[in-house]
Amino acid sequence: MTEDTKKDYNIIGKSLPQYDAAEKAMGKAKYVDDINLGKVYHGKILRSTVAHAKIKSIDVEEAQKVPGVKGIFTGKDVPDNKFGPMVKDWEILAKDRVRFIGDEVAVVIAIDEETADTALEKIKVDYEELPAVFDPEEAFEEDAPAIHEEQERNVTSTFEVERGDVDGAYEEADYIYEDVFYAGTLYHAHLETQRGIAVPEVDNRITLYLSIQVPSMARLRYAEALNMDPDDIRIVKPHVGGGFGAKFEYKSHIIAAFAARELGIPVKIINTREEDFIASNPRVPMRIYLKVAFNKDGKITAKETKLFAGNGARTVYAPAIMKTACYRLDSMYKLENVRTKGYSVYTNTVPTSCYRGFGNSQMHFAFEQAMDVAAEELDIGPDQIRLINAIESGETSVHGWKVNTCGLPECVDTVVKESDFNRKREEYKNQPEGTKKRGIGLAVCNHVSGNRPFYPPFEGSSAILKISPGGKVKIHTGEAEIGQGMNTTFAQIAAEVLGLPLKDVKTEIIDTDVGPFGCGTFASRATTLGGNAVLDGAKKAKEIILDYASKCTEVPAAVMDIKDGKIIDKNNSKEIISFAEVCEKAFFERGAVPITVKGTYIPDTVMPDEANYGNVSPAYPFGCHIVEVEVDTETGKVALLNYWAAHDVGTALNPLSLEGQIEGGVANAMGWTLSEKMRMSDGEILNPNLLDYKVPTSADVNYNINTYLIETNEPNGPFGAKGIGEPAKNPGAPAIANAIYNATGLRLKEIPFMPEQLYFELKNNDKK
């Protein structure tokens, strides 16, 4: 969208706060725990204390005697069927075996949390411990303990793709880089822990109030688990206190639903923070073997990867994340020869799943360091080697991804210039003696904005717009607001098309009995797909409104437009009739129902074929980050001094919101890289709290974050926009790693870089 075109818009392109920001800031927003449903009973889950064991017996006799206990359920009480979002390896409660510390063994329902906790302590479980394995590569060994006996070598999923002539490229290469990287598990640290309330209804239906980002898909999974018709499950999603990938299908929702139906009472289950750490599906850990060939001009001639992803003890979405890590980055560069093989492997650890970046950030951590090493070996600037290889607008990648628009070169050029990158980088190579070393690093990123393979039956989006007789618009969508500002963006789109002030348009909370099916919030898809559905609905609504206005005034609809809530004459901008007056007339003439329209967007994407070739997303965002750091060589502590982040956003629908997304991504990457480490020993998480697991606070993010929005006007995006929720994080870790190298000459390959690790590696580096 050009600057001239922007001037024609009243709301699109304007920096606007989220319309519910004040409501949230003043504590008036309703989250799951704020919903008043009258008397609600509380559930507490007994979790396994051992990593792998047979359950010999469970004694609940003493627990049942605790006054106030309404029911206790174990594996023998729940349906004997297995289910799961990708692999049918879930049970509502463990039947005869536990597979990780935190596995769900029993649930107590009581009049309050304290009573449930008291009863929980009186349940006795007799375990027969079994050999356990915690590392995915060790679990892949032929003689490793079998975690699910039907899965050979503990493998839940294998991904393999090969294109071109990788071996031939190696023979002709001028430089070959080869190394191994490890990215550890990461906790989402959302403010609102996992939670839900299940309410049995009189018609044998059940209503679930959930903190969730995929309500429609969850309804299908939960129906499968509970042997119910999906139509008999209603999910209501109020405000959500953060997701970052954690709020997908979750076990305690199903346990609450089961108990509520059995007892005929409302049941609420809320994770404590510790439960959230040990059983809330953190990021998939990966060991990445990487080999990349270059010619002397810096062009990548081959890329080969092999990786092992830790699936945890049951499958959530680790196979899809492993697949993403294997090949998504390949479409950022002009690659011809690629070979990759990945394994998602069971371990006796907490099940792992989605986290902002969805596997792509793990591969960026490895590959964007490889690019810097190659640049140095070939005497090419880090920015130039990216530009030499960057895919361009209009190109189709090695995996068949059609990149309509690519602002990657503009992103690189912008932050390189703004940060004075090349001068500083050379200056920091030759620093005087001292314990404080400065460095500057760069990394680029790509991502999807939608992802067809994630839910093959449907990758589109629909929205229902209802216009009241007073002229107010309510948007019903299946996509989920989880704090990212989607509701405001959707309202902006509808308000712009309908010529209304933003205050007259609201996006409603999700109620699956009311709104359309939606895949939910992931893959940076909400703006692109959901926004297009809202755009389609708003255009249809506008046509209906103008037709009614024409009937009311006998002025041809073709000469009318809507502006500031008024129907105007296009030729002279004079008001013909008010928007509200037309809506009122339409309301009664249509049988006293609101004007209701459906908007739909189904992208021209495809399921990849057997060779994993095919365009999976309607749009692809790109970005480039540069960070300047100071390393204290006496303590190993890294301080970020300045940050520059440019992102190809297609069109900036709401610059303020986009800047917030980018700043959040930078802080998120900082935590992943420098402080957030889940310390584990034999399957036990040793620091399951926010005192010992260090998430950056506002006091830590005390450096300048300079954001730049690169507009490329994506033809498949609403008003040209792309989503950037996930790519805002992807380049952060490798940029920091490259900056530390510039400062110290130390190349770090295991993330996070805790101060003690960096300190010892610096000392060892000095001895070499």
Side-chain angles (χ1 to χ4, degrees):
M1 189 164 61
T2 65
E3 288 299 320
D4 288 341
T5 308
K6 268 186 179 178
K7 292 175 184 173
D8 295 334
Y9 294 123
N10 293 316
I11 297 174
I12 293 297
K14 302 293 189 296
S15 283
L16 301 169
Q18 296 185 25
Y19 64 64
D20 53 6
E23 181 186 2
K24 291 178 178 175
M26 292 189 290
K28 295 180 178 178
K30 300 292 185 186
Y31 296 81
V32 166
D33 202 29
D34 299 316
I35 297 172
N36 185 356
L37 297 167
K39 180 58 183 174
V40 173
Y41 294 82
H42 295 263
K44 285 289 182 180
I45 296 171
L46 182 70
R47 300 182 180 279
S48 172
T49 55
V50 295
H52 196 193
K54 289 182 179 177
I55 300 174
K56 295 176 68 176
S57 65
I58 303 176
D59 183 355
V60 301
E61 185 176 346
E62 292 301 315
Q64 286 174 325
K65 295 177 182 175
V66 176
V69 169
K70 295 297 178 182
I72 299 175
F73 301 99
T74 67
K76 66 180 177 58
D77 303 309
V78 300
D80 194 21
N81 63 326
K82 291 195 174 183
F83 57 95
M86 299 200 74
V87 176
K88 294 184 187 300
D89 57 4
W90 291 33
E91 300 168 321
I92 296 178
L93 293 166
K95 288 283 185 183
D96 55 9
R97 187 190 290 202
V98 291
R99 295 179 171 87
F100 71 99
I101 294 173
D103 209 345
E104 299 85 356
V105 176
V107 61
V108 174
I109 311 301
I111 55 171
D112 53 41
E113 288 185 86
E114 292 73 18
T115 302
D117 279 331
T118 299
L120 215 60
E121 293 173 359
K122 295 181 180 297
I123 298 176
K124 297 175 182 174
V125 184
D126 188 8
Y127 294 112
E128 177 186 334
E129 291 203 48
L130 299 170
V133 60
F134 310 106
D135 179 89
E137 206 165 353
E138 292 175 7
F140 184 73
E141 298 293 330
E142 290 187 358
D143 58 350
I147 298 171
H148 292 264
E149 292 176 348
E150 64 276 15
Q151 298 291 351
E152 187 177 355
R153 299 182 74 170
N154 289 314
V155 173
T156 63
S157 178
T158 302
F159 178 80
E160 191 169 2
V161 67
E162 182 166 0
R163 307 196 201 287
D165 181 4
V166 173
D167 294 324
Y170 287 156
E171 291 178 4
E172 297 179 3
D174 293 308
Y175 172 68
I176 295 177
Y177 171 86
E178 190 167 8
D179 218 322
V180 184
F181 294 83
Y182 181 77
T185 308
L186 190 68
Y187 173 59
H188 303 84
H190 33 249
L191 290 175
E192 184 188 35
T193 59
Q194 300 276 12
R195 59 194 58 202
I197 307 171
V199 181
E201 307 289 358
V202 292
D203 53 1
N204 207 33
R205 299 183 81 224
I206 193 159
T207 298
L208 297 169
Y209 299 86
L210 304 178
S211 178
I212 195 164
Q213 59 193 85
V214 290
S216 298
M217 291 202 303
R219 189 172 67 143
L220 302 178
R221 311 295 186 210
Y222 297 175
E224 180 186 12
L226 297 163
N227 292 328
M228 293 179 68
D229 186 328
D231 289 342
D232 289 334
I233 296 177
R234 172 188 174 215
I235 292 180
V236 178
K237 183 208 77 67
H239 285 290
V240 171
F244 308 110
K247 303 287 180 66
F248 278 65
E249 298 93 333
Y250 192 62
K251 261 289 203 67
S252 72
H253 300 164
I254 305 169
I255 295 170
F258 171 79
R261 293 189 83 211
E262 289 295 307
L263 298 171
I265 55 176
V267 172
K268 177 191 292 187
I269 297 182
I270 295 179
N271 270 4
T272 63
R273 184 60 69 181
E274 180 174 346
E275 282 183 296
D276 234 48
F277 267 94
I278 68 171
S280 188
N281 307 333
R283 163 170 275 182
V284 178
M286 292 183 190
R287 185 167 289 109
I288 299 169
Y289 294 81
L290 179 62
K291 187 174 181 180
V292 193
F294 298 82
N295 69 17
K296 63 183 179 182
D297 298 323
K299 180 175 171 51
I300 303 166
T301 55
K303 169 181 174 277
E304 182 174 11
T305 53
K306 181 178 181 181
L307 67 86
F308 295 88
N311 185 88
R314 62 171 173 260
T315 307
V316 191
Y317 285 104
I321 294 159
M322 173 272 292
K323 176 181 175 180
T324 295
C326 280
Y327 88 138
R328 182 167 295 175
L329 180 142
D330 298 355
S331 293
M332 181 163 66
Y333 293 124
K334 297 176 180 178
L335 303 185
E336 296 176 358
N337 308 303
V338 296
R339 182 161 62 208
T340 185
K341 192 164 189 176
Y343 303 93
S344 182
V345 187
Y346 283 125
T347 51
N348 290 113
T349 59
V350 56
T352 60
S353 188
C354 314
Y355 193 113
R356 193 177 194 177
F358 204 82
N360 204 23
S361 48
Q362 288 97 316
M363 183 54 73
H364 273 72
F365 165 63
F367 197 85
E368 284 300 292
Q369 289 199 71
M371 290 296 281
D372 256 35
V373 174
E376 185 172 37
E377 290 288 335
L378 298 169
D379 196 22
I380 300 171
D383 54 337
Q384 293 305 308
I385 198 168
R386 269 85 175 185
L387 293 173
I388 288 168
N389 289 286
I391 200 164
E392 297 179 29
S393 297
E395 288 191 323
T396 299
S397 79
V398 67
H399 299 307
W401 296 13
K402 296 178 181 177
V403 179
N404 296 317
T405 56
C406 173
L408 183 54
E410 292 88 343
C411 290
V412 173
D413 288 342
T414 298
V415 291
V416 165
K417 178 182 175 183
E418 294 293 329
S419 65
D420 198 9
F421 173 75
N422 286 313
R423 184 192 65 78
K424 287 181 178 177
R425 182 171 165 274
E426 290 303 314
E427 177 185 330
Y428 293 153
K429 285 180 181 176
N430 301 296
Q431 296 183 63
E433 292 295 322
T435 58
K436 302 289 181 67
K437 301 290 186 183
R438 289 196 172 189
I440 192 165
L442 172 153
V444 299
C445 76
N446 73 329
H447 211 72
V448 294
S449 195
N451 185 19
R452 182 60 187 268
F454 198 75
Y455 187 68
F458 182 62
E459 167 57 359
S461 184
S462 288
I464 296 171
L465 278 65
K466 291 183 179 178
I467 305 177
S468 75
K472 302 294 193 294
V473 181
K474 292 183 177 179
I475 301 169
H476 296 271
T477 174
E479 316 310 337
E481 166 71 56
I482 56 172
Q484 79 275 40
M486 181 203 79
N487 282 355
T488 301
T489 300
F490 285 5
Q492 282 183 263
I493 291 171
E496 182 67 54
V497 175
L498 290 168
L500 296 173
L502 187 62
K503 67 180 179 56
D504 287 349
V505 185
K506 291 285 184 291
T507 308
E508 294 293 285
I509 65 169
I510 290 180
D511 182 334
T512 56
D513 273 6
V514 177
F517 179 94
C519 290
T521 295
F522 55 86
S524 299
R525 63 187 299 283
T527 295
T528 310
L529 289 100
N532 266 320
V534 172
L535 179 64
D536 182 53
K539 287 178 177 177
K540 291 173 179 173
K542 182 177 182 180
E543 188 175 337
I544 293 170
I545 295 288
L546 293 183
D547 280 345
Y548 266 97
S550 179
K551 289 177 185 175
C552 296
T553 61
E554 298 185 350
V555 176
V559 303
M560 291 192 288
D561 202 352
I562 313 173
K563 187 174 182 181
D564 298 331
K566 302 169 185 173
I567 313 295
I568 62 168
D569 187 322
K570 283 183 183 176
N571 298 314
N572 54 27
S573 297
K574 290 185 178 177
E575 180 178 356
I576 299 170
I577 188 172
S578 77
F579 185 88
E581 189 177 350
V582 174
C583 292
E584 185 178 21
K585 288 180 181 297
F587 177 78
F588 289 111
E589 288 183 15
R590 294 163 67 96
V593 293
I595 294 173
T596 304
V597 296
K598 182 198 76 168
T600 296
Y601 175 67
I602 300 176
D604 185 23
T605 54
V606 298
M607 275 296 295
D609 61 19
E610 291 183 355
N612 289 298
Y613 188 91
N615 189 36
V616 301
S617 176
Y620 299 95
F622 299 87
C624 180
H625 288 196
I626 288 177
V627 59
E628 189 174 11
V629 305
E630 184 173 83
V631 181
D632 186 331
T633 58
E634 286 193 327
T635 64
K637 188 172 182 180
V638 178
L640 305 194
L641 304 177
N642 288 293
Y643 209 105
W644 298 265
H647 281 268
D648 169 8
V649 300
T651 293
L653 300 181
N654 185 341
L656 181 65
S657 181
L658 288 165
E659 289 161 4
Q661 281 276 28
I662 295 170
E663 290 170 0
V666 169
N668 207 200
M670 175 193 177
W672 180 39
T673 311
L674 298 176
S675 65
E676 294 183 46
K677 182 168 187 173
M678 291 185 80
R679 299 182 185 276
M680 304 182 76
S681 176
D682 294 339
E684 181 181 6
I685 297 169
L686 303 175
N687 55 338
N689 59 75
L690 294 175
L691 281 177
D692 300 317
Y693 181 90
K694 183 73 170 60
V695 178
T697 66
S698 56
D700 300 305
V701 188
N702 56 0
Y703 45 92
N704 295 321
I705 302 176
N706 305 284
T707 60
Y708 308 93
L709 308 180
I710 306 300
E711 297 193 304
T712 52
N713 196 15
E714 168 58 43
N716 285 337
F719 292 100
K722 305 176 183 180
I724 68 153
E726 295 190 84
K729 179 178 184 177
N730 288 347
I736 294 171
N738 289 333
I740 292 172
Y741 176 80
N742 182 232
T744 66
L746 185 64
R747 183 62 66 186
L748 297 168
K749 299 160 195 169
E750 180 171 338
I751 191 170
F753 315 145
M754 303 301 283
E756 63 272 23
Q757 173 200 354
L758 185 53
Y759 171 81
F760 285 115
E761 294 211 26
L762 283 168
K763 295 304 175 190
N764 290 335
N765 206 40
D766 287 343
K767 294 175 183 175
K768 293 178 182 176

